[in-house]
């Protein structure tokens, strides 16, 4: 067990270094520190001295990856890459290029993101499983057929249409919800309800159809036939055997997605003006704020690794044959 | 499914139970009262007056900080009037014109907003104490009187080693000793709070507690305009010391985010991601509403409150609104008090009458929405790179080519299609409303326009083609080599919407059989190309900093060349006569003589055509019937203190416009209920035949 | 020559893909065990129907992938000069749509603009009214005949379509004799419906803007047709360009195991753990810089747009490549345990030969399933990425750029719905057909393999 944890952690660190290197190279291929300084200082009356001053102040006046002027280990450490990456591992994200503390920003933005993402996640899971179960129960009838048609049709529609259409009809024409905006605390539900509905609807088609296949696979197994042959009611077969067993692949698949709820929803957040991490990411891409992009990539990578870990653990929990080794 | 329905219905009941409309985008805590509802689209980057420069930021900083001077709210052309100063300072030359000094006396008795920095016990907070704070205003608050030292302190901050003032470099050239001061500070900087009071600056001298003197090199008449910008607002040293305590920056408690000023409002809630709240400064001295304005202001009701003490509004809620559509819809629903109009909403809101005036459409008028227009003091132009061998340089060949393109490039059509007529075609570099701009016949650009029937008319394409042939490109082909003429235009992409305008640009050049390559790129790359002079044509704009022609004409001043000296002359235009005239004009007060020089400069520039003069955009702003005293002011953004809201009318109209439509919900419930029906039937059937083989 | 052919990168790859597909079909045709799963696929009615629909889209794409630069000038003087504008065969076929520009918005089949403007009335006095369109309905002498003219044209189109469908139905018996198991009638019916929808549209489009015009007066129908190529290029080339790497890494990792496996696993876990949008955004910005700094490599705007499209495909390929590799690695791990491969190993057969002869053919079905399953996800992904601003070049017509532009139109009153509706309809049909075919393919090859969608 201990060996497993140590190996996992070492591997995670290796991956995080790789991730950092990739983002770093990609970003600085696009942006020189000069560009970043100009972006921050604006377009008017910028003098070369001011640029130099900004770079020195923000630690961008060193070489990128290799400092040939320094001596000894300084060759690798007195560089932008080393200095900007090392602190990330302590989750010290530092300040964005505009001076705001990124750690603080991530903490305050996590709330709105989760307020949107958790309901979408939970409600979508419930709705999709219920509907899939419904289809599986009525398998090979016209209900099942049209249900699948509905799923395929719904998954063929781009999320953008759901958002644009929903916002237009429900908020603009029917005046049922605020068009966009957000408020903290208990009042949040008024703002989150519409994006949640849209989030659930847009995930409906593909997930419900996938779960239906899982249920049908379970239905075709021998033990279900046996159970039915014993004369158990269809209802009992469905809930006690099929649902319970099919939940294993569903849940292990879903567990990996949980950490990503923290990253926020890119589209919904920017359309509905929810100040979460998704819109933070988009803003940072558009403003070319390297510090924020790098922090979000790092955060995403960490969450991904956690997701992998959770999947492993959930496998061992549901299937005792799998061991940590 | 049914459980979900139940939850949904309960939610609806909740909604019905809420006060106000269902779609009210404001939470309970910020509704009601004498409140102004406004928005901001870009997150402000800096609210520190030494660093902040953009218009988005000015929306906040100018309400809080008070520079020495301000622009008159109503009068046009723009007029500088004192704000905290007793009078607009006069320039006084000393040492035979080597230096100029300004003596400035500020009004006594001006108090700062309540702020924790003015309470001595707040200078030694523990880290845990700071960690618990949600806002600095939770601490004990104090105040003190504004003194001349605060202005001096701020001027010194322009050279602060850890602050990056966009005008620092510019001011180094004028304020005596500022450049050396920066070096001195850099040497003295040990991290932590740098007490600038201890280190004197040569160019700024304290006369007494309420007066000080600024000494600048040579003569720079435009300097007074800078005194109306937040760069010259007072900053109390206490604020810097207060925010320098360890633990503050991690909570984003910095002077950059929590401004401390003497203005009519104070920023009490600061969440740049969704909402900023300005509240009335209880210590504000109160200013009288202006009692004189431009012709027509009285008819528009802008003088109804003359002489009354401002501000009228107690609280301003500014919500972040990134997308144009929600913004516009919320305005229509009454949740914003005023709105600029995007070109997509223009038809809906405004129609242009036969006389060419813009008025609101009948639907808008019915809602009581009113329109204000003003021509902005800016210019958008297409520049030719003067260093380019084909389109640049002073040769006859390239000049004729530029002139031909200028004629073919139909700015009037651009304005109709892409700006819905919201702009006027520029005749030269100087924008309307600025000294030196000429109206009517004498104001037209004779290179591109003829004066026909009392209005300018663009010259024909035939004229342009003739010029092109004279330039050596008959039918768009180089007469010497037979090669077709291919030009490139650099521009910044803003998104997929650009495609239409790119097509349009290409069509303008096609009229002359010139092929145009559009090189769209991001802002950084674009700037870099211009800096290196690696362009032919490019699209750029300029927004005036102050209402003086110098601020436009210097964009063509040779020594300001971008490629050679990183200046503001992006087209690298060079004409010795123009440059000589500019140097004379620069330091003159407005006079007929100055006007004559400007006329000559504009004439030279028109003939050389280093720019396709482009357009001066018009600002259109809509406001609801309940908002009074709104007048666009391109120079000053401290307008909120003049505004007034009729809150009762607002509440009534909002309720009327936002009645929820409920039948769709009923319909959805009905459809769900009906679809359950065949399921129940099937289920019954299946229960009856238990041991059915699997599908 | 009146034109100079231009071969864009995506054209080249598309035609190579067509050639590859042809070779694959021929190869399968000769080997019954490879043809068998395809036989199963085409026993399904939905598969036949969606293949017909997709074939129509592919036809459009291919017509839009033959590019050239037209000659300019009379051509008598000096060497021939060619325009910088790159056109395709589709552009020529629909030149009447491309060139008929109105001033601004007009509704589908309208004869007047959507916005009022000042016009001179018959008496000469200026009034405010909806101006007549320059092209839409310009052939009408009398505007009151508008409705009748539309009905007439639609009727003409419909009868043409019915006639064509009837002629085709005569083929049915012949086809049934050739392949009795294939439900030909489903295909023919789909084709008939397709004809019934498109022929009247085409007939109408000669006189009207059938889907209206956009802000600068461009025909929306033309834009929708042009978007098809962008969508299909992204949907196919994204998977295809990265396919060699995905397959190679997958089977090599599964077969050799040990440190090779570790390195490859590390590589794809690292790539996978970067959030997709961020990776794509960074890569798209990066190639934009490359394009900007090497203008001499891309002489025309079409070249630049094309390279950006190709690189977008590649970067989308990288993000979906990791999933395929993981699947292949798992499958290869399983296969390499099988006795006959162990035996081949023991007989000293070279690794390359084992991989090529035994492993690769046995994982081919996974590759095919991934290819078709990813297709629809990629079409949808393009729209989202273009919305975020890291999609195709702004000058490229695509569903994403159409939706993005149409987004702003939703704020107008009265609402401009047709761009959005056209993009919606075209995308729905395309993605629906792709989804249905993907289902059939998966069922035909291996119902047990589940492949995730593209992570965006």
């Amino acid at each position: 067990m201990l060996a497993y944890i140590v190996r996992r952690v070492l591997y995670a660190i290796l991956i995080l270094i790789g991730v950092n290197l990739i983002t770093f190279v990609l970003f600085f291929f696009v942006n020189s520190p000069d560009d970043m300084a100009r972006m921050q200082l604006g377009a008017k009356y910028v003098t070369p001295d001011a640029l130099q001053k900004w770079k020195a102040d923000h630690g961008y006046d060193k070489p990128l990856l290799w400092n040939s002027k320094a001596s000894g280990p300084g060759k690798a450490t007195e560089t932008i890459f080393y200095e900007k990456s090392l602190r990330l591992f302590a989750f010290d994200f530092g300040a964005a290029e505009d001076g705001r503390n990124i750690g603080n920003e991530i903490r305050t933005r996590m709330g709105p993101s989760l307020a949107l993402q958790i309901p979408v996640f939970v409600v979508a899971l419930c709705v999709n499983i219920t509907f899939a179960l419904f289809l599986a129960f009525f398998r090979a009838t016209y209900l099942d057929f049209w249900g699948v048609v509905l799923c395929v049709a719904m998954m063929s529609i781009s999320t953008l249409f759901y958002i644009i259409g929903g916002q237009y009809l429900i908020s603009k024409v029917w005046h049922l919800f605020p068009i966009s905006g957000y408020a903290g605390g208990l009042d949040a539900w008024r703002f989150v309800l519409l994006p949640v509905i849209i989030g659930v609807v847009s995930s409906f088609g593909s997930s419900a159809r996938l779960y239906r296949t899982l249920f049908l696979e379970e239905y075709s197994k021998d033990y279900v036939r046996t159970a039915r042959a014993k004369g158990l009611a269809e209802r009992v077969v469905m809930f006690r055997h099929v649902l319970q067993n099919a939940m294993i692949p569903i849940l292990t698949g879903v567990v990996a997605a949980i950490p990503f709820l923290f990253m926020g929803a890119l589209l919904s957040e920017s359309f509905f003006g929810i100040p979460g991490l998704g819109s933070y990411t988009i803003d940072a891409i558009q403003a070319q704020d390297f510090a924020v992009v790098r922090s979000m990539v790092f955060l995403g990578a960490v969450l991904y690794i956690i997701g992998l870990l959770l999947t492993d653990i959930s496998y061992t929990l549901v299937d005792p044959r799998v061991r940590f080794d | 499914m049914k459980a979900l329905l139940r939850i949904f219905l309960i939610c609806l009941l909740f909604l019905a139970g809420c006060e106000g409309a269902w779609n009210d985008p404001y939470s309970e805590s910020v509704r009601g009262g004498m409140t102004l509802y406004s928005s901001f689209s870009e997150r402000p980057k800096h609210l520190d007056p030494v660093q902040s420069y953009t218009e988005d930021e000015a929306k906040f900083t100018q309400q809080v900080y008070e520079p020495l001077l301000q622009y008159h709210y109503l009068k046009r052309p723009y007029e500088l009037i004192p704000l905290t100063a007793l009078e607009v300072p006069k320039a006084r030359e000393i040492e035979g014109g080597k230096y100029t000094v300004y003596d400035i006396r500020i009004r006594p008795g001006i108090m700062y907003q309540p702020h924790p920095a003015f309470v001595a016990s707040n200078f030694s907070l523990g880290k845990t104490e700071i960690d618990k704070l949600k806002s600095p205003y939770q601490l004990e608050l104090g105040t003190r009187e504004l003194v001349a030292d605060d202005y001096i302190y701020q001027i010194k901050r322009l050279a602060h080693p850890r602050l990056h003032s966009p005008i620092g470099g510019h001011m180094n050239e004028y304020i005596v000793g500022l450049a050396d001061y920066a070096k001195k500070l850099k040497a003295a900087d040990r991290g932590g709070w740098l007490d600038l009071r201890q280190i004197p600056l040569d160019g700024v001298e304290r006369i007494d507690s309420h007066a000080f003197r600024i000494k600048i090199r040579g003569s720079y008449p435009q300097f007074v305009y800078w005194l109306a910008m937040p760069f010259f607002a007072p900053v109390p040293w206490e604020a810097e010391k207060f925010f320098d305590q360890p633990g503050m920056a991690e909570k984003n408690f910095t002077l950059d985010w929590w401004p401390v000023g003497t203005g009519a409002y104070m920023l009490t809630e600061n969440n740049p991601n969704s909402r900023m709240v300005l509240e009335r400064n209880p210590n504000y001295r109160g200013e009288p509403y202006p009692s004189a304005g431009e012709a027509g202001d009285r008819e528009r009701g802008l003088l109804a409150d003359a002489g009354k003490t401002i501000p009228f509004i107690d609280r301003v809620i500014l919500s972040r609104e990134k997308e144009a559509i929600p913004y516009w819809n919320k305005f229509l629903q009454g949740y914003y008090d005023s709105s600029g109009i995007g070109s997509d909403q223009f038809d809906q809101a405004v129609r242009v009458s036969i006389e060419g005036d813009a008025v609101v459409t009948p639907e808008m008028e019915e809602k009581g929405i009113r329109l204000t227009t003003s021509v902005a003091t800016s210019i958008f132009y297409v520049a030719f790179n003067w260093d380019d061998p084909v389109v640049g340089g002073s040769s006859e060949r390239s000049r004729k080519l530029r002139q031909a393109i200028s004629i073919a490039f139909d700015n009037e059509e651009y304005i109709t299609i892409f700006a819905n007529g919201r702009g006027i075609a520029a005749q030269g570099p100087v924008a309307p409303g600025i000294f030196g701009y000429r109206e009517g016949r004498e104001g037209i650009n004779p290179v591109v326009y003829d004066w026909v029937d009392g209005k300018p008319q663009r010259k024909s394409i035939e004229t342009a083609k003739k010029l092109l042939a004279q330039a050596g490109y008959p039918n768009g082909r180089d007469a010497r080599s037979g090669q077709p003429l291919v030009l490139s235009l650099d521009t910044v992409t803003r998104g997929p919407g650009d495609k239409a305008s790119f097509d349009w640009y290409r069509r303008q050049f096609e009229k002359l059989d010139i092929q145009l390559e559009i090189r769209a790129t991001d802002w950084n790359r674009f700037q870099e190309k211009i800096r290196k002079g690696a362009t032919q044509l490019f699209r750029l704009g300029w927004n005036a900093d102050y209402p003086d022609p110098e601020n436009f004409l210097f964009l063509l001043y040779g020594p300001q060349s971008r490629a050679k000296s990183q200046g503001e002359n992006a087209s690298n235009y060079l004409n010795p006569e123009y440059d000589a005239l500019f140097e004379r004009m620069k330091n003159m007060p407005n006079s007929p003589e100055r006007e004559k020089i400007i006329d000559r400069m504009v004439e030279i520039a028109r003939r050389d055509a280093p720019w396709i003069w482009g357009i001066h955009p018009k600002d259109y702003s809509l406001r609801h019937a309940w908002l009074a005293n709104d007048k666009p002011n391109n120079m000053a953004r401290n307008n909120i203190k003049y505004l007034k809201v009729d809150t009762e009318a607002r509440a009534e109209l909002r309720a009327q416009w936002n009645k929820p439509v409920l039948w769709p919900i009923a319909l959805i419930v009905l459809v769900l209920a009906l679809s359950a029906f065949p399921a129940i039937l099937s289920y019954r059937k299946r229960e009856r035949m238990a041991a059915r083989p699997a599908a | 020559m009146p034109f100079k052919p231009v071969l864009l990168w995506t054209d080249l790859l598309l035609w190579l893909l067509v050639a590859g597909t042809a070779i694959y079909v021929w190869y399968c045709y000769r080997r019954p065990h490879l043809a068998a799963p395809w036989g199963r696929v085409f026993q399904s009615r939905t598969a036949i129907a969606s293949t017909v629909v997709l074939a129509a889209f592919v036809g459009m794409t291919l017509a839009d992938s033959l590019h050239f630069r037209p000659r300019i000038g009379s051509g008598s003087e000096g060497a021939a000069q060619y325009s910088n504008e790159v056109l395709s065969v589709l552009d020529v076929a629909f030149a009447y749509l491309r060139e008929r520009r109105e001033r601004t918005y007009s509704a589908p089949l309208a004869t007047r603009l959507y916005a009022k403007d000042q016009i001179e009335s018959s008496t000469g006095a200026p009034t405010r009214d909806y101006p007549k369109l320059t092209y839409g309905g310009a052939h009408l002498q009398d505007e009151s005949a508008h409705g009748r003219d539309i009905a007439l044209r639609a009727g003409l189109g419909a009868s043409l379509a019915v006639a064509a469908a009837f002629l085709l139905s005569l083929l049915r018996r012949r086809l049934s004799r050739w392949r009795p198991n294939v439900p030909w009638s489903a295909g023919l019916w789909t084709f008939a419906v397709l004809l019934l929808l498109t022929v009247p549209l085409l007939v109408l489009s000669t006189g009207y803007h059938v889907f209206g015009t956009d802000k600068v007066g461009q025909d929306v129908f033309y834009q929708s047709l042009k978007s098809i190529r962008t969508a299909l290029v992204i949907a196919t080339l994204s998977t295809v360009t990265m396919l060699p790497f995905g397959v190679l890494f997958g089977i090599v990792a599964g077969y050799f195991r040990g440190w090779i496996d570790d390195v490859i696993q590390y590589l794809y876990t690292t790539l996978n753990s970067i959030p997709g949008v961020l990776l794509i955004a960074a890569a798209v910005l990066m190639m934009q810089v490359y394009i900007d700094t090497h203008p001499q490599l891309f002489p025309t705007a079409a070249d630049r747009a094309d390279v950006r499209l190709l690189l977008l495909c590649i970067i989308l390929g990288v993000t979906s490549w990791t999933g395929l590799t993981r699947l292949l690695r798992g499958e290869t791990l399983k296969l390499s345990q099988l006795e006959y491969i162990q035996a081949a190993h023991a007989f000293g057969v070279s690794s390359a030969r084992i991989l090529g002869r035994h492993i690769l053919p046995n994982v081919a079905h996974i590759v095919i399933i991934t290819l078709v399953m990813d297709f629809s996800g990629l079409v949808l992904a393009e729209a989202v990425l273009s919305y975020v601003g890291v999609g195709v070049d702004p000058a490229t017509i695509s569903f994403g750029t159409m939706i993005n532009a149409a987004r702003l139109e939703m704020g107008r009153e009265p609402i401009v719905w047709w761009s959005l509706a056209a993009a919606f309809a075209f995308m729905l049909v395309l993605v629906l057909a792709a989804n249905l075919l993907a289902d059939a393919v998966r069922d035909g090859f291996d119902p047990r393999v589940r492949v995730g969608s593209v992570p965006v």
Side-chain angles (χ1 to χ4, degrees), chain A residues 8-9 15 62 75 101 158 191 211 221 242 245 266 274 280 288 298 303 307 322 324:
Chain A
R8 264 288 140 118
V9 169
I15 286 179
K62 300 195 173 66
K75 279 191 193 305
N101 187 290
S158 170
F191 299 92
Y211 298 156
K221 285 189 176 155
V242 173
N245 284 301
L266 294 176
I274 293 169
Y280 191 45
Q288 307 194 350
F298 187 81
L303 292 172
V322 181
F324 295 117

Side-chain angles (χ1 to χ4, degrees), chain A residues 11 13-19 22-23 25-27 29-31 148-149 152-161 164-165 168 172 209-210 213-214 217 220 249 260 263 266-267 270-271 281-282 285-286 288 293 296-298 300-302 304-305 308, chain C residues 262 265-275 277-279 281-283 285-287 289-290 326 373 376 380 383-384 387-390 400 403 406-407 410-413 415 420-421 423-425 427-428 431-433 435-436 439 442 447-448 450 456:
Chain A
Y11 194 55
I13 290 176
L14 212 59
I15 286 179
L16 289 176
I17 292 175
V19 166
I22 291 176
T23 16
V25 169
L26 278 181
F27 191 89
F29 189 92
V30 179
N31 275 304
V148 173
V149 168
V152 176
M154 282 183 75
M155 67 188 267
S156 303
I157 296 173
S158 170
T159 322
L160 288 169
F161 289 114
I164 294 174
Y168 177 77
K172 167 130 200 254
R209 206 174 61 127
L210 175 69
T213 356
L214 294 178
E217 239 168 65
S220 63
F260 277 98
M263 294 294 282
L266 294 176
L267 287 182
S270 62
F271 266 101
T281 312
I282 289 200
I285 293 174
Q286 281 162 357
Q288 307 194 350
V293 170
M296 291 308 291
V297 168
F298 187 81
V302 169
Y304 178 82
I305 292 165
L308 287 184
Chain C
D262 287 340
Q265 273 205 61
Y266 171 72
L267 197 67
Y268 73 65
T269 319
T270 308
L271 277 176
N272 238 357
S273 58
I274 301 176
V277 175
L278 288 174
L279 186 62
L285 286 173
M286 185 180 93
M287 76 207 185
V289 172
Y290 182 80
R326 192 165 31 206
M373 293 291 285
S376 56
L380 298 177
V384 172
Y387 166 75
V388 180
V390 291
I403 295 172
R407 210 163 44 86
M410 298 292 285
R412 297 180 79 98
E413 194 89 32
I415 179 175
L420 202 67
F424 175 79
M427 266 181 96
L428 181 66
V431 176
L432 196 60
N435 275 332
L436 292 174
D439 272 7
R442 195 189 51 191
R448 289 194 183 279
R450 278 196 300 274
V456 166

Side-chain angles (χ1 to χ4, degrees), chain B residues 247-258:
Chain B
M248 285 278 184
E250 284 76 21
K251 302 274 293 179
N252 287 330
F253 295 159
T254 61
L255 192 56
D256 209 10
W257 285 105
W258 294 93

Side-chain angles (χ1 to χ4, degrees), chain B residues 260-273:
Chain B
V260 187
T262 56
Y265 294 94
M266 47 198 256
L267 188 67
T268 52
E269 189 181 325
N270 185 334
N271 181 356
N273 308 319

